[in-house]
Amino acid sequence: MAVVLSVRDLTKTFKSGSRSLTVLDSVSFDLEEGDTFSIVGPSGSGKTTLLGLCAGLDGPTRGSISLCGHDMGSLGEDERARVRNEHVGFVFQSFRLLPTLTALENVMVPAELRGRRGIVDGARDLLAEVGLGDRLGHYPTQLSGGEQQRVALARAFINKPDILFADEPTGNLDAETSAHLEEIMFRLNRTAGTTLVLVTHDAELASRTGRILRLRGGKAVEQEVVPAP
Amino acid sequence: MSMRFTASFAWRDSRGSRRRMLLFISSMVLGVAALVSINSFGDNLERAIDNEARTLLGADLSFESDNPFPDDIEALIDSIGGNQSRRTSFSSMAFFPAPGKARLATVRAHEPGYPFYGSVVTEPAGAADRYLEAAGALVDGTLMNQFEVETGDSVRIGNQTYPILGRILETPRESAAVGLFSPRIYIPLAGLDTTLTTLGSRVEYEVYFQFPDGRDADALRDSLQATLRAADVGSDTVREEQEGWSRALTNLYRFLGLVGFMSLLLGGLGVASSIHVYVKQRIATVAVLRVYGASVATTVAVYLVQAIGMGIVGALLGSFVGVGLQTLIPVLLSDFLPVDVVFAVSWPAVLLGSGIGLGVTILFTLMPLLRVRSVSPLDALRSGADEHASPLRDPWWWVATAMAASGLVAFAIIQAPDWKVGLGYSAGLAAVFLVLAGLSSLLVKGLVRFTPASLPYVIRQGVANLYRPNNQTLMMVFSLGLGTFLISTLLVSQQVLLDQLDVLGGGEQPNLIMYDIQPDQVAPVEQLLAQQGVPVMSSVPIVTMRLEAINDETIDAMREDTTQRLSWAHRREYRSTFRSTLTKSETLVEGAFQGIWDGTGAIPVSAEVDVAEELGVDLGDRITWNVQGVMLDAEITSLREVDWQRLETNFFFVFPEGALEQAPAFHVVMTRAADDEQSARLQSAVVEAYPNVSSIDLALILGVFDAIFSRIAFIIRFMALFSILTGLIVLASAVIVSRFQRMQESVLLKTLGASRHTVLQIMAVEYTVLGFVSALTGILLAIIAGWSLSYFVFEATFVLHAVPLLLLLGTVMLLTLVIGMLNSRGVYERETMDVLRSEI
């Protein structure tokens, strides 16, 4: 299986005046095609920072990230954006739908950014797959939290990404909605063969992934392989 | 970068904000409207002047002179041929027997024929065709209104009484505004009381030509130029008259264009300030786009496309409003225009106005749009994850600012009468901007810092709200403050000038001047004054004279010498007096004043310092005076400073006793009437007894001042109105863009137990304080400006009248409160949970 994400000795330090704060310290791991991976840890342990670095949203202070064969450290801002557009899907805790766009238009945005045409049918199918086939023309304010997150999930899959990053995807949802969303997420992951990287506080959700990385104070304290059910 | 995506995303992203965007650009709409209307009016005016060129002069050629044409010129006029018509004009008292009142007027005595082109428009129509034959008069409408006389009443000029056949509405060569300063009366030249033109009055003699044979008047005039100049005869052709008007009116509408410039500047700042907040609210969207692979250029392009769209809509709306406004300008300025301006849409003006509006919108949105460049995709994960550096550290911010500033300065230079005015205007506005910004920020900081903790909570919270992020407090204070500044400067300076005139007329100062009194009339006039119970405060002889030579070089020789520049001082007719002492308004600055001449050597004269400088003469220089044909040699033996602001008989040159007693002279007598009624009675009595004697009273001067000031004030009020309107639009935009924030605040206060009343009170305090700070900033600056004007320009005592300024302060506060509260409607009514759940 091909390596999709390779993280080596990843360190991130922030400077505040004369003081410096290391929020991530020498983290390394590899993920292959179709892997599911969760990052867990208490608040302030560096989970979101690690996710942002892996997705190329930020640059590391030290170490390297290879995403789908691209050395993210050597790329400029716009080149990293192109890599994200071609290979990455993203789901946020607070959904981050564009408020002025309908559900269908929100899903189409990544494909449109890529310059793809004839994407309406694909977007519609994805929304139907997440159970929102009848909500295409609704704006985010007209959707519930669970529905918004399902739109966000459909948006993340529109470009058929090699890897999906999800930051606390069920953090703002109730238990029932969360369970429904998880089902969809893992199903889409299996169907498309996408690698899945999750940041979560939810131990149950984490246990559904193949591997769990535990962070504490920016350091990887444990990498656990979860036995298949 | 996909243009398709950029355009379609820009359109979709604007959903829900389009009405707000319309509000953002409404300040720009005002600016474009002002520009389009003013420039379009200018184009129409030029076309009207071109079309009606001949009616401007009323003839093909004219000659004019301050003296009766000499024989050689009369012979020349004879030889020119064509149709001719003469006119004699002078100032004289016009006495209206019906109300029994008199006033100084410009009398124009005509021969039949003039105007050969165009017409004198009267009410009733056609009176201009009858008054010459019927030996009647046409009287300026303003004068008839002032004395409440009607057609059919009569007017006496000198010893002649004329029935009034109509009121003058329009005449060739003059705009209606002339009537405000010096009302005109048209009478026939035949039968004119010639004593009026021979007894000291300044008279203008004119002859008008019409050439039915189509002769080239310009070529003819050029061939006669030397002869005419030698005889001090001026001339005018249609082309010259047209050029003169064109120049004057171009300056007028270019000055008006500066009004457009200011509203555009404010509009630009208003748009920049709104876009700044708008972009801040779009950071999450930009961050998501960046996460999904949008490049920096794509995200900037999205918002640039929106800005261009806003600019286009603003330009179109502005042009539409401007074309409508343009129909109003000729109505407002009709008094100043020599021709009727016909309304027509000027497409070049529309294109120029909308182009400039679009350009300014784009230039001013560049600065806030640069913020989009620094939005990190990390902002999608954690808002505020990336600390954004101050824009002042971004070199592109400086480039964008420099582009906006130079674009505006270039525009001001294009629009102003000349580049220095444009540059000065830009610099002045920049200085006002800096001072206003500094003052307002000091005031806001001071208020927040020094608000006593003992004040009720609602007041403290309201004041603290001025520091709410995205509140645009500074921009609002600037726009409202600028408007208040313009209006209060006007109020302050008007008060200073009026006070000065009051001082002139107050105490024991004279307030009525009578002139053109012949030597044999002096004693009877003084006696008449005594009978009326008023004092003779001064009685001064005046002799008219011209400069013949300076240090033996004749003025004619100087005129031939192209290396010398002759000024008004060389050419004018001087009215000098003779006396043995200086007056209270004169101060000797150099030499010794000699009050008596014993008849030997050159006559020692005293020159006023400014006229001496203008003539380039100093102590010891010799001047040859032509005193109505007699040459007198004089030497400058002293220089005086004169306080021209005193209502006294002041002179450029003062002769000693013993030099001019034999010269033909007239006298000026000054007196003081107790009130307007006594002044009117006195003037009527004098003009009845001595029709050649003219008088001016302080009320007349005040009237002229008021007429001039009200015209200038109109333009300044127009600028102030634009400025305040822009400030209110910025306020409305700021309230609307921060609406969600206000809702959150309101919900939080509600949750903490605040009643609807309390929330509304806090909002009211915020808007009232905002209005107060803005108005106070403008008023403080206006007091400084008013003091500077009175000290440096008017040279008058600065007196501050608080009541009008307090009224203005209250009005601005009330306006701000009303607009703020209107736009905050519904903020309190939103359901608490709605707001808490909402992310948008």
Side-chain angles (χ1 to χ4, degrees):
Chain A
M1 296 274 256
V3 172
V4 175
L5 177 66
S6 175
V7 173
R8 286 283 167 277
D9 194 25
L10 202 61
T11 300
K12 181 72 182 178
T13 305
F14 289 105
K15 285 203 169 160
S16 169
S18 57
R19 295 171 54 199
S20 64
L21 176 70
T22 301
V23 292
L24 209 60
D25 193 357
S26 304
V27 175
S28 300
F29 60 88
D30 287 315
L31 291 179
E32 293 180 344
E33 216 176 284
D35 278 355
T36 55
F37 184 71
S38 52
I39 304 165
V40 297
S43 290
S45 58
K47 303 186 295 291
T48 304
T49 305
L50 176 59
L51 191 79
L53 288 170
C54 291
L57 303 184
D58 199 3
T61 311
R62 201 180 66 225
S64 67
I65 304 154
S66 169
L67 181 63
C68 301
H70 298 279
D71 175 10
M72 299 300 273
S74 65
L75 301 180
E77 184 68 41
D78 283 346
E79 288 164 311
R80 291 210 300 263
R82 193 176 48 77
V83 171
R84 280 197 298 275
N85 184 255
E86 286 173 5
H87 302 287
V88 174
F90 227 108
V91 176
F92 306 93
Q93 178 177 4
S94 52
F95 325 135
R96 293 288 187 204
L97 293 185
L98 304 181
T100 53
L101 269 52
T102 62
L104 184 68
E105 287 167 347
N106 260 290
V107 174
M108 286 159 47
V109 166
E112 285 183 302
L113 274 169
R114 204 163 170 177
R116 283 170 59 191
R117 303 249 175 140
I119 50 175
V120 180
D121 288 345
R124 197 178 281 143
D125 291 348
L126 269 170
L127 279 171
E129 217 172 321
V130 298
L132 293 174
D134 57 344
R135 314 285 265 174
L136 305 179
H138 285 59
Y139 285 94
T141 46
Q142 299 167 312
L143 300 170
S144 69
E147 287 173 327
Q148 287 190 49
Q149 195 60 309
R150 278 188 275 160
V151 174
L153 205 53
R155 176 176 69 183
F157 278 96
I158 185 76
N159 274 350
K160 297 189 172 60
D162 296 308
I163 186 164
L164 174 71
F165 293 100
D167 180 24
E168 301 274 12
T170 57
N172 279 357
L173 304 176
D174 60 60
E176 195 182 334
T177 315
S178 297
H180 184 48
L181 190 93
E182 284 165 22
E183 280 309 318
I184 298 169
M185 188 164 61
F186 281 103
R187 191 180 72 228
L188 284 171
N189 177 49
R190 274 194 306 276
T191 320
T194 311
T195 304
L196 177 63
V197 180
L198 283 174
V199 162
T200 183
H201 275 105
D202 182 351
E204 200 177 322
L205 173 60
S207 67
R208 292 184 68 173
T209 58
R211 279 157 65 195
I212 301 174
L213 173 71
R214 287 184 205 285
L215 290 178
R216 191 179 297 274
K219 290 190 173 167
V221 291
E222 186 188 356
Q223 277 208 47
E224 179 191 346
V225 177
V226 182
Chain B
M1 181 171 59
S2 158
M3 285 310 294
R4 210 176 109 89
F5 171 78
T6 306
S8 74
F9 189 81
W11 173 246
R12 289 186 209 149
D13 183 66
S14 67
R15 279 179 200 150
S17 310
R18 288 179 199 146
R19 271 164 60 185
R20 268 196 288 166
M21 287 172 153
L22 212 58
L23 187 64
F24 295 165
I25 52 162
S26 42
S27 51
M28 185 55 70
V29 169
L30 286 178
V32 173
L35 265 190
V36 168
S37 55
I38 291 162
N39 285 337
S40 192
F41 161 72
D43 288 353
N44 286 338
L45 187 60
E46 251 171 49
R47 197 172 44 242
I49 287 177
D50 284 348
N51 290 345
E52 296 184 42
R54 290 205 294 193
T55 66
L56 288 173
L57 182 63
D60 292 317
L61 175 67
S62 76
F63 294 166
E64 61 265 344
S65 170
D66 290 345
N67 297 300
F69 294 116
D71 291 344
D72 58 331
I73 298 297
E74 283 292 354
L76 182 73
I77 291 169
D78 242 12
S79 69
I80 290 172
N83 297 325
Q84 298 182 7
S85 173
R86 303 221 178 201
R87 171 160 101 169
T88 303
S89 303
F90 53 92
S91 290
S92 173
M93 294 303 279
F95 178 71
F96 296 93
K101 286 179 179 167
R103 202 208 127 135
L104 193 66
T106 299
V107 178
R108 300 204 187 284
H110 285 97
E111 274 185 353
Y114 182 80
F116 294 114
Y117 307 107
S119 59
V120 177
V121 181
T122 56
E123 186 190 278
D129 303 329
R130 297 195 310 274
Y131 81 104
L132 293 175
E133 268 184 33
L138 304 176
V139 179
D140 224 313
T142 49
L143 190 53
M144 290 180 71
N145 292 341
Q146 187 189 350
F147 288 143
E148 294 174 340
V149 289
E150 298 294 332
T151 302
D153 289 342
S154 58
V155 57
R156 207 176 73 200
I157 311 285
N159 286 316
Q160 285 285 3
T161 302
Y162 302 88
I164 300 172
L165 297 186
R167 62 175 66 221
I168 298 172
L169 301 178
E170 284 175 34
T171 60
R173 295 201 89 173
E174 289 167 334
S175 64
V178 171
L180 293 172
F181 311 132
S182 173
R184 296 149 299 179
I185 297 178
Y186 277 31
I187 55 169
L189 185 58
L192 172 72
D193 178 355
T194 49
T195 54
L196 296 174
T197 56
T198 49
L199 298 181
S201 281
R202 198 182 286 263
V203 184
E204 188 181 36
Y205 298 88
E206 295 162 289
V207 57
Y208 289 92
F209 300 90
Q210 183 196 32
F211 302 124
D213 52 8
R215 247 180 293 174
D216 181 346
D218 286 300
L220 174 65
R221 199 276 311 271
D222 289 347
S223 67
L224 303 172
Q225 192 71 285
T227 319
L228 293 171
R229 205 172 266 171
D232 260 336
V233 172
S235 59
D236 213 350
T237 63
V238 172
R239 189 175 52 81
E240 268 187 349
E241 185 82 0
Q242 185 184 356
E243 282 171 1
W245 274 109
S246 236
R247 224 175 6 252
L249 293 169
T250 302
N251 281 346
L252 170 74
Y253 86 79
R254 283 198 156 179
F255 176 73
L256 284 176
L258 290 177
V259 178
F261 167 80
M262 199 191 68
S263 47
L264 258 188
L265 171 70
L266 282 174
L269 288 170
V271 168
S273 140
S274 306
I275 292 288
H276 173 75
V277 180
Y278 180 73
V279 163
K280 266 190 164 179
Q281 292 175 335
R282 285 293 191 272
I283 284 175
T285 299
V286 174
V288 171
L289 286 179
R290 302 279 292 119
V291 166
Y292 277 104
S295 64
V296 172
T298 302
T299 46
V300 172
V302 163
Y303 293 98
L304 193 60
V305 165
Q306 285 188 355
I308 292 171
M310 280 166 63
I312 291 173
V313 173
L316 288 175
L317 282 176
S319 303
F320 192 69
V321 177
V323 167
L325 264 183
Q326 179 209 331
T327 54
L328 283 179
I329 297 181
V331 180
L332 295 171
L333 292 177
S334 58
D335 279 357
F336 292 98
L337 304 178
V339 287
D340 288 331
V341 178
V342 182
F343 169 80
V345 178
S346 162
W347 293 110
V350 169
L351 274 178
L352 181 74
S354 10
I356 288 173
L358 178 60
V360 170
T361 308
I362 293 172
L363 280 176
F364 273 85
T365 49
L366 278 179
M367 284 178 279
L369 280 186
L370 289 172
R371 173 83 170 79
V372 173
R373 285 162 54 247
S374 61
V375 174
S376 157
L378 268 185
D379 280 317
L381 277 182
R382 276 192 295 230
S383 53
D386 194 12
E387 280 305 317
H388 299 284
S390 154
L392 301 180
R393 289 189 189 163
D394 181 356
W396 284 106
W397 187 88
W398 287 104
V399 170
T401 308
M403 277 169 68
S406 39
L408 278 169
V409 172
F411 168 62
I413 289 171
I414 294 169
Q415 200 70 36
D418 71 63
W419 68 270
K420 283 181 201 154
V421 174
L423 212 56
Y425 187 80
S426 313
L429 218 54
V432 168
F433 175 85
L434 288 176
V435 175
L436 268 177
L439 253 179
S440 55
S441 117
L442 266 179
L443 277 174
V444 173
K445 276 184 187 156
L447 262 176
V448 174
R449 190 164 169 194
F450 298 112
T451 304
S454 57
L455 281 179
Y457 164 72
V458 284
I459 297 183
R460 283 183 288 121
Q461 181 65 53
V463 172
N465 279 355
L466 289 176
Y467 261 137
R468 181 192 288 112
N470 300 343
N471 214 32
Q472 303 300 296
T473 303
L474 195 65
M475 181 60 211
M476 284 185 279
V477 171
F478 173 67
S479 306
L480 292 169
L482 184 63
T484 316
F485 162 70
L486 289 171
I487 293 180
S488 27
T489 306
L490 199 67
L491 282 172
V492 170
S493 39
Q494 189 175 19
Q495 280 302 336
V496 167
L497 290 172
L498 284 174
D499 277 359
Q500 199 184 1
L501 289 175
D502 276 353
V503 169
L504 278 180
E508 292 308 307
Q509 300 283 324
N511 62 6
L512 181 62
I513 307 172
M514 297 189 169
Y515 60 99
D516 282 353
I517 304 170
Q518 298 309 300
D520 59 334
Q521 294 172 327
V522 177
V525 166
E526 287 180 5
Q527 204 175 348
L528 200 147
L529 295 185
Q531 281 165 10
Q532 296 278 337
V534 296
V536 175
M537 301 177 87
S538 79
S539 179
V540 179
I542 290 176
V543 177
T544 57
M545 54 186 72
R546 284 182 172 277
L547 277 178
E548 185 67 23
I550 297 175
N551 292 330
D552 296 332
E553 186 181 9
T554 64
I555 301 298
D556 285 344
M558 289 185 196
R559 200 175 271 153
E560 299 298 318
D561 182 354
T562 50
T563 61
Q564 293 199 47
R565 193 185 63 85
L566 291 194
S567 73
W568 56 269
H570 292 88
R571 290 187 293 262
R572 68 171 282 129
E573 183 183 75
Y574 284 87
R575 296 180 162 208
S576 307
T577 192
F578 51 94
R579 52 177 141 83
S580 57
T581 54
L582 292 176
T583 63
K584 276 185 280 183
S585 60
E586 295 171 323
T587 317
L588 192 68
V589 290
E590 242 185 302
F593 181 78
Q594 296 184 28
I596 313 270
W597 182 55
D598 58 9
T600 56
I603 303 166
V605 293
S606 178
E608 190 262 346
V609 281
D610 290 334
V611 83
E613 192 182 334
E614 196 67 34
L615 288 170
V617 294
D618 211 333
L619 288 183
D621 281 329
R622 278 169 297 109
I623 295 179
T624 307
W625 294 99
N626 179 342
V627 183
Q628 297 158 58
V630 177
M631 302 301 160
L632 293 180
D633 287 325
E635 183 186 328
I636 300 173
T637 55
S638 68
L639 294 174
R640 293 160 302 132
E641 253 175 15
V642 175
D643 179 5
W644 294 102
Q645 290 172 6
R646 292 174 76 114
L647 196 62
E648 294 207 4
T649 40
N650 291 314
F651 300 91
F652 285 127
F653 286 92
V654 174
F655 282 67
E657 284 182 359
L660 295 174
E661 278 77 354
Q662 302 309 314
F666 64 88
H667 281 66
V668 172
V669 169
M670 299 181 89
T671 181
R672 178 173 179 82
D675 49 37
D676 288 351
E677 204 179 313
Q678 189 181 32
S679 174
R681 210 170 45 239
L682 203 58
Q683 291 183 65
S684 301
V686 170
V687 81
E688 273 210 81
Y690 309 102
N692 63 293
V693 175
S694 297
S695 58
I696 298 178
D697 68 0
L698 199 65
L700 194 70
I701 297 174
L702 278 173
V704 171
F705 165 78
D706 198 47
I708 297 170
F709 202 89
S710 63
R711 257 62 188 177
I712 299 167
F714 162 74
I715 293 173
I716 297 177
R717 280 198 199 104
F718 191 57
M719 288 161 89
L721 182 77
F722 263 90
S723 168
I724 289 190
L725 216 56
T726 310
L728 293 177
I729 288 170
V730 173
L731 169 65
S733 312
V735 172
I736 285 172
V737 292
S738 61
R739 195 175 169 80
F740 184 69
Q741 211 173 342
R742 282 166 200 273
M743 277 179 190
Q744 281 178 321
E745 282 169 12
S746 150
V747 161
L748 185 63
L749 290 170
K750 266 199 300 188
T751 316
L752 295 175
S755 66
R756 173 192 166 84
H757 186 63
T758 308
V759 173
L760 289 178
Q761 272 183 325
I762 291 173
M763 280 196 271
V765 168
E766 181 188 340
Y767 298 130
T768 311
V769 172
L770 181 69
F772 173 74
V773 172
S774 311
L776 190 65
T777 310
I779 288 173
L780 284 178
L781 196 60
I783 292 174
I784 299 170
W787 178 85
S788 311
L789 278 175
S790 65
Y791 188 79
F792 297 110
V793 181
F794 308 139
E795 294 179 6
T797 316
F798 178 66
V799 185
L800 194 64
H801 292 256
V803 176
L805 296 179
L806 287 175
L807 279 175
L808 184 64
L809 181 82
T811 311
V812 174
M813 280 165 71
L814 191 69
L815 267 176
T816 317
L817 177 67
V818 170
I819 297 285
M821 293 305 275
L822 276 178
N823 284 289
S824 305
R825 273 172 313 160
V827 163
Y828 182 84
E829 280 73 15
R830 278 292 293 270
E831 288 296 327
T832 310
M833 287 313 291
D834 270 5
V835 176
L836 291 179
R837 275 197 205 106
S838 179
E839 269 277 341
I840 300 143

